[in-house]
Amino acid sequence: RKQVGKVTTSCKSFDELLGGGMETQAIVELYGEFGCGKTQVAHQLAVNIQLPVEMGGLNGSVIIIDTENTFRPERIDQMVKGLPPAPDGRIWETEDFLKNINVARAFNSNHQILLAESAMDLAEKVKDSERPVRLLIVDSVTAHFRAEYVGRGTLADRQQKLNKHLHDLMRFGDLNNALILVTNQVMSKPDTFFGDPTKPVGGHVLGHTSTFRLYLRKSKGEKRIARLVDSPNLPDGEAVFSVTTDGLKD
Ligand code: ADP
Ligand code: MG
């Protein structure tokens, strides 16, 4: 087992909640209602994973499986401009960050599963380069499954497929010493098929595979609250952070 790496969220309290940042060889699940900031956190991590270790990064590159077409290069640009200065005085260039972000759009759940498999091949190719893949984002991990599998009869089928997909992701994290960051939307209105509206889609399968589960919710203005739920080795707790034009801030 390789040494676990940690990547900063750009927010002190959020990092502390996670025991020093988001860990590699782990699945971090961000869940919460639409607009709570899941995709914002994902963009920030896609930037931060590329930073040098002394700035809380892992000198890595990233693969994003985008299922909702919400990846925005312009947002990466804003976040790069909002970075603290480099210790060696060099100027951050957005292009340098964008070239290390490999985005693949997933059109349905089967395609999403295939993309996770191709991610493995891509990571293998750059494994011994100076920019190994240290982050795999699936935003959202459940949306296609939720949309495609409707009706009670298909529930077991859906869970089985999602389960296999999550195990592929976990394996990717282990083999590449990478952080797996997945998002999962919860419904504000009761959803009779998916059950308890306060519980994330995916139920048990996702619950047991994720190493860290974070429930995000909106607070006043830019403020967001992240709650760590059911961590095996960290105390439950909450962190307050802000989503600003410059990215995530304390
Ligand atoms: P989710 O993925 O959980 O549905 P998002 O991560 O897309 O939600 O969050 C959207 C919210 O993020 C917006 O409502 C806004 O508050 C904030 N946001 C998005 N872009 C910017 C920006 N450029 N500057 C400041 N805040 C932004
Ligand atoms: Mg989103």
Side-chain angles (χ1 to χ4, degrees):
R1 194 176 155 93
K2 286 161 240 126
Q3 203 196 327
V4 166
K6 291 189 182 183
V7 58
T8 185
T9 62
S10 293
C11 310
K12 205 161 182 276
S13 65
F14 201 167
D15 283 355
E16 276 166 11
L17 181 70
L18 294 159
M22 292 192 186
E23 290 186 357
T24 61
Q25 301 174 55
I27 297 185
V28 173
E29 176 194 349
L30 301 170
Y31 70 100
E33 285 179 23
F34 175 78
C36 71
K38 302 180 292 294
T39 297
Q40 299 303 310
V41 175
H43 277 70
Q44 187 70 59
L45 269 290
V47 170
N48 293 0
I49 198 81
Q50 303 188 38
L51 294 172
V53 175
E54 63 268 34
M55 289 187 70
L58 291 171
N59 286 306
S61 60
V62 45
I63 297 173
I64 300 179
I65 299 177
D66 181 8
T67 77
E68 297 182 313
N69 202 15
T70 51
F71 175 75
R72 296 287 176 275
E74 307 79 38
R75 194 65 185 113
I76 297 296
D77 180 50
Q78 293 176 331
M79 288 177 172
V80 168
K81 290 183 169 129
L83 283 173
D88 61 5
R90 97 190 107 121
I91 305 299
W92 300 121
E93 299 286 356
T94 300
E95 277 311 307
D96 293 337
F97 283 83
L98 286 175
K99 72 178 182 222
N100 297 320
I101 303 177
N102 306 279
V103 187
R105 180 85 201 281
F107 297 102
N108 55 51
S109 65
N110 283 329
H111 188 213
Q112 182 179 331
I113 288 166
L114 281 178
L115 287 175
E117 289 166 6
S118 349
M120 201 72 101
D121 299 335
L122 173 60
E124 184 62 36
K125 279 195 197 112
V126 296
K127 208 172 172 174
D128 299 315
S129 74
E130 77 251 6
R131 286 253 167 225
V133 180
R134 291 277 183 255
L135 172 62
L136 174 61
I137 292 168
V138 188
D139 183 14
S140 137
V141 75
T142 44
H144 282 317
F145 290 92
R146 179 203 278 263
E148 290 164 29
Y149 292 86
V150 281
R152 288 244 168 239
T154 61
L155 184 63
D157 200 24
R158 177 184 69 119
Q159 285 305 101
Q160 197 201 353
K161 279 225 164 134
L162 189 54
N163 196 10
K164 185 216 171 283
H165 182 49
L166 288 161
H167 279 94
D168 287 349
L169 298 179
M170 198 58 171
R171 206 167 140 260
F172 183 101
D174 286 341
L175 286 176
N176 296 292
N177 194 12
L179 159 65
I180 311 298
L181 185 59
V182 304
T183 70
N184 188 5
Q185 190 183 326
V186 295
M187 295 287 124
S188 48
K189 280 197 238 107
D191 179 327
T192 49
F193 175 59
F194 288 100
D196 186 340
T198 65
K199 295 265 164 37
V201 184
H204 277 322
V205 175
L206 209 49
H208 291 159
T209 317
S210 297
T211 321
F212 298 93
R213 313 183 74 202
L214 289 161
Y215 176 60
L216 298 188
R217 65 186 199 274
K218 270 190 170 171
S219 186
K220 275 199 206 106
E222 299 176 324
K223 295 250 181 290
R224 298 291 189 278
I225 298 162
R227 176 202 289 265
L228 183 66
V229 182
D230 302 334
S231 163
N233 61 326
L234 289 169
D236 286 5
E238 290 190 342
V240 180
F241 64 98
S242 297
V243 177
T244 76
T245 305
D246 288 344
L248 304 195
K249 300 286 164 197
D250 274 312

